[in-house]
Amino acid sequence: DIDSIDLEIDSSEPNEIINSIKNFAPSFGGINLEDIAAPDCFIIEEKLKEILDIPVFHDDQHGTAVVSTAALINALKFVNKKPENIKVVVSGAGAAGTACSKMILKLGVKNLIGCDSKGAIHSKRNDLNASKLWFVENTNPYDEKGTLKDVIACSDVFLGVSAPNILNKEDLKLMQKNPIVFAMSNPEPEISPDEASPLVAVMATGRSDYPNQINN
């Protein structure tokens, strides 16, 4: 028996990818999409869920969301904080960042701010695609503006699925007491554990050579 098989589709056009998967789907019990960037990944996943009668899963979205949310549940127990009382800053508004944010909100988190390379996603931005408009409609309840370094002030949790070395010690000092930092950019995290660990209660990355790996 074969548990899984990898198939590569030589196309980056969403409709071609959807049709290809639709045609070979009867041979499989489930589909795991991988290495498809936002916003195409959202389009492809939603359409396949609509037309197929087997589970459709996107590794970058749901795999990362499941493990990071599980890690956050445990980390909050460790620091004795409740989801409804914390501020979460998510760096990265692509497939993984969006999926992580959606699942974290389901824990009961009320104050979550998504950031992209231009800073906080808020209602006055006029450069947002459809997937980033979800952040406007569902997050940032106080409509905070500014850079990542601005909105990380007074936060309890930083979750990074974005770019390396975008935070430093001074940024972490602005966070609440006993902060949680999940710096999951690979291969280089948003801040290194060596730099962050003395200042945080829980430190995790996406790398297997550091403690507390969070990986899809």
Side-chain angles (χ1 to χ4, degrees), residues 37-83:
D40 288 349
C41 61
F42 305 119
I43 298 168
I44 293 167
E45 179 207 349
E46 288 304 315
K47 186 61 177 178
L48 289 173
K49 284 182 175 180
E50 178 185 322
I51 63 178
L52 298 182
D53 58 0
I54 58 176
V56 179
F57 182 88
H58 182 218
D59 194 38
D60 291 338
Q61 289 185 73
H62 308 114
T64 305
V66 167
V67 294
S68 61
T69 303
L72 180 57
I73 290 170
N74 288 338
L76 289 175
K77 291 179 180 178
F78 182 74
V79 299
N80 196 29
K81 294 183 181 182
K82 296 185 180 299

Side-chain angles (χ1 to χ4, degrees), residues 89-93 113-121 135 146-148 151 162:
V89 173
V90 176
S91 178
I113 300 174
C115 296
D116 60 12
S117 60
K118 296 181 180 179
I121 299 173
F135 281 91
T147 66
L148 169 64
V151 297
S162 53

Side-chain angles (χ1 to χ4, degrees), residues 109-126:
V109 171
K110 301 184 185 306
N111 188 3
L112 182 148
I113 300 174
C115 296
D116 60 12
S117 60
K118 296 181 180 179
I121 299 173
H122 56 80
S123 63
K124 300 300 187 291
R125 293 265 303 263
N126 57 10

Side-chain angles (χ1 to χ4, degrees), residues 157-173:
V157 178
F158 169 81
L159 188 151
V161 280
S162 53
N165 304 313
I166 57 175
L167 292 180
N168 58 38
K169 287 181 179 180
E170 297 308 310
D171 302 320
L172 300 189
K173 290 177 182 178

Side-chain angles (χ1 to χ4, degrees), residues 11-196:
S11 175
S12 58
E13 206 285 316
N15 286 329
E16 287 190 15
I17 295 172
I18 290 167
N19 287 331
S20 296
I21 294 173
K22 181 183 74 171
N23 290 332
F24 63 62
S27 298
F28 297 94
I31 301 293
N32 180 32
L33 306 170
E34 190 164 359
D35 296 331
I36 303 174
D40 288 349
C41 61
F42 305 119
I43 298 168
I44 293 167
E45 179 207 349
E46 288 304 315
K47 186 61 177 178
L48 289 173
K49 284 182 175 180
E50 178 185 322
I51 63 178
L52 298 182
D53 58 0
I54 58 176
V56 179
F57 182 88
H58 182 218
D59 194 38
D60 291 338
Q61 289 185 73
H62 308 114
T64 305
V66 167
V67 294
S68 61
T69 303
L72 180 57
I73 290 170
N74 288 338
L76 289 175
K77 291 179 180 178
F78 182 74
V79 299
N80 196 29
K81 294 183 181 182
K82 296 185 180 299
E84 60 268 26
N85 298 329
I86 64 172
K87 175 183 176 181
V88 179
V89 173
V90 176
S91 178
T98 303
C100 290
S101 297
K102 288 179 177 180
M103 190 166 284
I104 288 171
L105 290 179
K106 289 184 181 296
L107 290 181
V109 171
K110 301 184 185 306
N111 188 3
L112 182 148
I113 300 174
C115 296
D116 60 12
S117 60
K118 296 181 180 179
I121 299 173
H122 56 80
S123 63
K124 300 300 187 291
R125 293 265 303 263
N126 57 10
D127 58 346
L128 304 175
N129 60 30
S131 61
K132 291 182 183 180
L133 285 174
W134 176 88
F135 281 91
V136 173
E137 295 165 357
N138 296 278
T139 70
N140 200 355
Y142 305 108
D143 211 26
E144 292 191 45
K145 302 172 181 64
T147 66
L148 169 64
K149 293 173 180 286
D150 292 326
V151 297
I152 201 171
C154 298
S155 64
D156 300 272
V157 178
F158 169 81
L159 188 151
V161 280
S162 53
N165 304 313
I166 57 175
L167 292 180
N168 58 38
K169 287 181 179 180
E170 297 308 310
D171 302 320
L172 300 189
K173 290 177 182 178
L174 299 175
M175 298 179 72
Q176 296 279 20
K177 183 179 179 181
N178 294 326
I180 296 165
V181 172
F182 294 167
M184 300 187 292
S185 172
N186 266 324
E188 295 300 323
E190 285 82 359
I191 184 169
S192 74
D194 293 339
E195 187 174 5

